C-alpha cells in the first residue's frame, strides 16, 4: 500500500483526499518542523511526501526512501531539494507556481510601502508613548510615487509586482538573465544591467529564485553601488543577500532602509543585528500567507501526489 508523509499540519479536508489513495502519516504541528531524524525514519517506506521549505531533500534523504515516487514541495522555489539526485532516482519533484503569484506580489508591495513610509516605526512610536506633538518632519519617509523602481528577477512574481507600480507613476527598471520584450511592452519596463539597476533605482526589489548565480548577489559591492537614500526589499530568497554586508551598509548609510520577508536562516535569531535596526522591517516569510492562496497551494500539492500515485503525469513537475 502507498504511504504519504505530510510534514506539517494541514486541514483535514486535504488529508481526507490523500487517505483515499494511501496511508497518511501527518506531523501535526502548524509551526514546528518535523525533526530531521523523525522525517528520515518516516520516509523509509513512503511513496510520496508533502514537504515545505523547512525539509531538506538531499542525497541522504533520498537514499533513505527507496520507494519514493514524488516530493510535493509547498512553494514555488525548490532550493531545499537536490533536483539532480531526485531525477537520477526517478523521483518526481513538484512545486506550486502561479497560485501564489498575486498574493506574494501584494505582500511585497505592502512591505515596500510600509518600509518607505516607516509604518512599523510609527506604530511603535505611539505604543511607546513618544507621540507628544505633530512636527513637520515627524517620521517622514520616502515617496514611491514618481520614483524609479528596479526589479531583480522578472519572473511571474516580478511581473505581478511591476503591474502594481502602474498607478504610482514610477519608472520601472529590471534585470533578468534574459530580456523579455513582451513584458517590456506590456509594463513599460526597461532592461538594464545589474549595476545600472543598483545605481539608478530608488527602490531595489528582489523577487529572484536562489541559484548558484544569485546566492549572495546582494553583497557589499552591490550595496556600495546603491543610492544612499534607496530602499532594498527582498521577497525572493534569503540567501540571495549577504546579511552581514546588509547590516554594514545600513550602518554606514549606504542605503536608507530595507524590508525583508525572507532570511538566510529562518526563523531569524533573536540576537540578529537587523532586529535592532529601526530602518529594517523584518517579516516571518508570509509572502503567500493568505487563506485562499495557502489552500490553493496545498490543493496543488495534493493533486500532484494523487496524479503520480495513480501513474499519471504530475501537474507542475520541476524535474521532468
Amino acid at each position: 500500500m502507498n504511504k504519504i508523509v505530510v510534514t506539517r499540519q494541514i486541514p483535514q479536508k486535504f488529508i481526507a483526499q490523500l487517505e483515499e489513495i494511501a496511508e497518511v502519516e501527518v506531523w501535526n504541528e502548524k509551526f514546528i518542523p518535523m525533526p530531521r531524524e523523525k522525517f528520515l525514519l518516516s520516509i523509509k517506506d513512503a511513496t510520496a511526501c508533502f514537504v515545505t521549505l523547512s525539509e531538506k531533500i538531499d542525497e541522504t534523504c533520498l537514499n533513505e526512501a527507496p520507494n519514493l515516487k514524488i516530493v510535493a514541495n509547498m512553494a514555488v522555489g525548490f532550493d531545499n531539494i537536490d533536483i539532480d539526485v531526485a531525477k537520477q532516482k526517478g523521483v518526481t519533484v513538484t512545486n506550486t507556481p502561479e497560485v501564489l503569484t498575486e498574493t506574494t506580489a501584494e505582500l511585497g508591495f505592502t512591505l515596500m510601502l510600509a518600509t518607505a513610509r516607516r509604518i512599523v516605526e510609527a506604530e511603535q512610536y505611539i505604543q511607546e508613548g513618544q507621540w507628544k506633538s505633530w512636527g513637520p518632519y515627524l517620521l517622514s519617509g520616502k515617496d514611491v510615487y514618481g520614483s524609479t523602481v528596479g526589479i531583480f528577477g522578472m519572473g511571474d512574481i516580478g511581473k505581478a509586482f511591476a503591474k502594481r507600480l502602474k498607478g504610482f507613476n514610477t519608472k520601472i527598471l529590471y534585470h533578468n538573465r534574459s530580456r523579455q520584450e513582451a513584458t517590456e511592452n506590456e509594463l513599460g519596463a526597461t532592461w538594464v544591467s545589474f549595476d545600472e539597476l543598483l545605481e539608478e533605482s530608488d527602490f531595489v526589489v528582489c523577487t529572484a529564485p536562489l541559484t548558484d548565480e544569485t546566492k549572495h548577489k546582494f553583497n557589499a559591492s552591490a550595496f556600495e553601488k546603491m543610492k544612499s537614500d534607496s530602499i532594498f526589499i527582498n521577497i525572493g530568497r534569503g540567501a540571495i543577500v549577504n546579511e552581514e554586508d546588509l547590516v554594514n551598509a545600513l550602518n554606514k548609510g549606504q542605503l536608507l532602509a530595507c524590508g525583508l520577508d525572507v532570511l538566510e536562516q529562518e526563523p531569524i535569531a533573536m540576537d540578529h543585528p537587523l532586529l535592532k535596526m529601526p530602518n529594517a522591517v523584518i517579516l516571518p516569510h508570509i509572502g503567500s500567507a493568505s487563506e485562499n492562496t495557502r489552500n490553493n497551494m496545498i490543493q496543488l500539492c495534493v493533486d500532484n501526489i494523487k496524479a503520480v500515485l495513480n501513474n499519471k503525469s504530475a501537474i507542475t513537475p520541476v524535474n521532468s
Side-chain angles (χ1 to χ4, degrees), residues 33-255:
M34 179 184 278
R36 173 75 169 177
E37 298 76 14
K38 169 64 176 169
F39 179 56
L40 293 178
L41 184 64
S42 295
I43 64 168
K44 280 183 179 293
D45 57 348
T47 44
C49 59
F50 177 123
V51 301
T52 68
L53 291 173
S54 299
E55 284 72 55
K56 188 172 181 60
I57 312 299
D58 54 14
E59 187 171 7
T60 298
C61 174
L62 292 165
N63 285 338
E64 291 290 323
N67 301 320
L68 197 63
K69 295 181 180 179
I70 176 172
V71 176
N73 200 41
M74 189 183 162
V76 172
F78 41 86
D79 46 278
N80 57 316
I81 301 171
D82 192 322
I83 298 297
D84 293 335
V85 173
K87 188 171 185 177
Q88 290 169 13
K89 292 183 174 293
V91 178
T92 298
V93 176
T94 65
N95 64 342
T96 57
E98 299 181 1
V99 294
L100 53 68
T101 297
E102 299 299 335
T103 303
T104 305
E106 188 174 279
L107 185 280
F109 210 87
T110 302
L111 182 57
M112 179 178 68
L113 290 173
T115 306
R117 296 303 303 274
R118 303 173 66 182
I119 299 301
V120 174
E121 284 183 82
E123 196 274 339
Q124 291 175 342
Y125 186 81
I126 290 177
Q127 293 288 348
E128 294 168 359
Q130 296 186 59
W131 190 22
K132 306 302 182 184
S133 176
W134 182 89
Y137 293 96
L138 175 63
L139 290 161
S140 59
K142 184 178 178 68
D143 289 321
V144 173
Y145 187 87
S147 67
T148 297
V149 179
I151 300 173
F152 178 68
M154 191 60 90
D156 289 342
I157 294 171
K159 292 172 189 173
F161 191 97
K163 288 177 183 176
R164 285 161 170 76
L165 290 167
K166 281 195 166 185
F168 284 76
N169 192 35
T170 59
K171 179 180 180 181
I172 305 172
L173 307 179
Y174 80 97
H175 181 76
N176 208 53
R177 283 183 298 180
S178 57
R179 287 191 62 173
Q180 302 184 12
E181 293 186 10
T183 299
E184 292 174 16
N185 293 332
E186 177 189 357
L187 300 175
T190 302
W191 186 92
V192 293
S193 69
F194 183 60
D195 283 354
E196 287 177 290
L197 186 87
L198 299 174
E199 293 164 359
E200 297 180 21
S201 299
D202 299 302
F203 296 86
V204 175
V205 182
C206 175
T207 68
L210 178 62
T211 64
D212 290 340
E213 183 184 351
T214 63
K215 184 172 183 179
H216 287 180
K217 185 76 170 177
F218 287 92
N219 52 24
S221 175
F223 294 128
E224 285 172 3
K225 294 181 175 73
M226 291 174 63
K227 295 180 179 181
S228 60
D229 64 344
S230 65
I231 291 177
F232 175 67
I233 303 294
N234 189 14
I235 56 171
R237 281 289 181 267
I240 296 175
V241 179
N242 183 313
E243 290 172 6
E244 182 179 352
D245 290 350
L246 174 58
V247 169
N248 289 336
L250 289 167
N251 280 329
K252 292 177 183 177
Q254 291 175 335
L255 61 159

Side-chain angles (χ1 to χ4, degrees), residues 2-6 18 21-25 48-50 305 309:
N2 289 321
K3 175 185 173 183
I4 304 167
V5 175
V6 180
L18 296 174
I21 58 168
E23 170 194 347
V24 182
E25 178 183 334
C49 59
F50 177 123
I305 290 172
L309 295 192

Side-chain angles (χ1 to χ4, degrees), residues 16-35:
Q17 293 178 53
L18 296 174
E19 287 176 335
E20 293 174 1
I21 58 168
E23 170 194 347
V24 182
E25 178 183 334
V26 183
W27 175 250
N28 271 314
E29 292 285 351
K30 287 184 178 180
F31 308 120
I32 301 174
M34 179 184 278

